[in-house]
Amino acid sequence: MLTKTEKSFAILFIFLLILEIATSSYESISNLNYIAKPAILISLIIFFWTQSSNLEIKLKTMILLALVFSLLGDILLMFVSQSANYFIGGLVAFLTAHIFYVLVFLKHRNTSKNSIVFIGSLLAYGVLIFYILRDSLGNMLIPVILYMLVIFAMATAAFLRKGQVVKTSFTLVFIGAILFMISDSILALNKFYQPLPFTNFSIMFTYSFAQLFIVFGLLKQR
């Protein structure tokens, strides 16, 4: 399923992820996290740039913008302890990244695909998360609702690619979209509900592999 180049990059990517988790978990090397965390998306951006020559320029640009805004979100969220504005900035950056991913996924949507059951499942999941968070959101209520709607739109757009692209491309992108949704859910629960165990690992693991699977899947739609 993966080419030799993709397998080699995946090994590098996992190494960078382990480095990020280690530097965010141990105080003695925490300063290195300012390098390790951005390195994950920077490596993915470089990999995508070098491997996407066969994609049409408009599609390639939108994917790059999704990755660049994700990188910006990563950087901003590293400074949330200094000001709440960094969290808002990170939220906006990731919101923008999700919108670009929605536009990319819809480029190959299957117009005959019935998505009612899937959308219903997402809404049920969203209602559950919102029910848990509702009392602690405060003035973040509207931004969080908007963000949830956009990431659900991304997951739906990924689902709608089924039957319109090769199976490998659909599967990787769809798994990536679901992992992205899980990562954001853990982040929201940890920030607005109560601290969760092993969040350094769970958030970065699901988020990093979400981005990796999406990029691998989009490269295979050629």
Side-chain angles (χ1 to χ4, degrees):
M1 187 166 69
L2 296 181
T3 66
K4 185 177 180 180
T5 301
E6 289 167 343
K7 289 178 181 178
S8 298
F9 175 74
I11 293 171
L12 171 64
F13 190 84
I14 291 170
F15 170 78
L16 292 174
L17 175 58
I18 293 171
L19 184 63
E20 194 286 328
I21 292 172
T23 56
S24 64
S25 300
Y26 296 99
E27 185 68 29
S28 59
I29 56 174
S30 60
N31 286 339
L32 293 176
N33 190 248
Y34 291 103
I35 299 173
K37 188 171 185 178
I40 294 175
L41 260 291
I42 290 172
S43 70
L44 193 57
I45 289 169
I46 294 171
F47 174 78
F48 175 76
W49 177 264
T50 59
Q51 300 297 311
S52 58
S53 58
N54 291 338
L55 294 181
E56 62 172 283
I57 188 65
K58 185 176 180 181
L59 186 65
K60 181 176 180 177
T61 300
M62 287 195 295
I63 297 169
L64 281 171
L65 285 170
L67 292 171
V68 168
F69 274 102
S70 296
L71 173 60
L72 177 60
D74 283 342
I75 293 171
L76 290 170
L77 290 181
M78 292 169 67
F79 299 96
V80 291
S81 60
Q82 299 181 21
S83 171
N85 291 332
Y86 285 110
F87 181 80
I88 300 295
L91 192 72
V92 172
F94 277 113
L95 183 72
T96 306
H98 289 318
I99 291 172
F100 278 116
Y101 274 140
V102 169
L103 295 175
V104 169
F105 299 163
L106 289 179
K107 279 276 192 179
H108 294 89
R109 68 186 179 277
N110 187 343
T111 55
S112 64
K113 187 70 178 172
N114 189 332
S115 59
I116 293 177
V117 174
F118 182 74
I119 292 174
S121 300
L122 284 183
L123 288 175
Y125 177 79
V127 168
L128 174 62
I129 296 294
F130 179 75
Y131 178 80
I132 295 172
L133 299 178
R134 71 191 192 287
D135 293 331
S136 54
L137 290 174
N139 58 5
M140 290 296 295
L141 176 64
I142 300 302
V144 168
I145 290 176
L146 178 61
Y147 189 91
M148 288 174 64
L149 290 174
V150 172
I151 197 168
F152 289 163
M154 186 194 72
T156 302
F159 174 75
L160 290 175
R161 296 172 75 251
K162 188 173 185 179
Q164 202 66 20
V165 295
V166 296
K167 185 177 180 180
T168 301
S169 176
F170 165 76
T171 302
L172 287 171
V173 169
F174 183 66
I175 291 174
I178 296 301
L179 285 175
F180 222 139
M181 192 171 67
I182 292 171
S183 177
D184 284 341
S185 298
I186 297 171
L187 178 63
L189 290 169
N190 186 67
K191 182 172 181 61
F192 297 112
Y193 180 57
Q194 65 181 30
L196 302 175
F198 309 113
T199 51
N200 283 350
F201 172 80
S202 58
I203 292 173
M204 285 307 301
F205 181 87
T206 50
Y207 165 71
S208 298
F209 275 100
Q211 295 279 23
L212 182 67
F213 284 4
I214 288 172
V215 166
F216 277 1
L218 291 174
L219 287 173
K220 292 184 179 298
Q221 74 182 12
R222 291 176 293 187

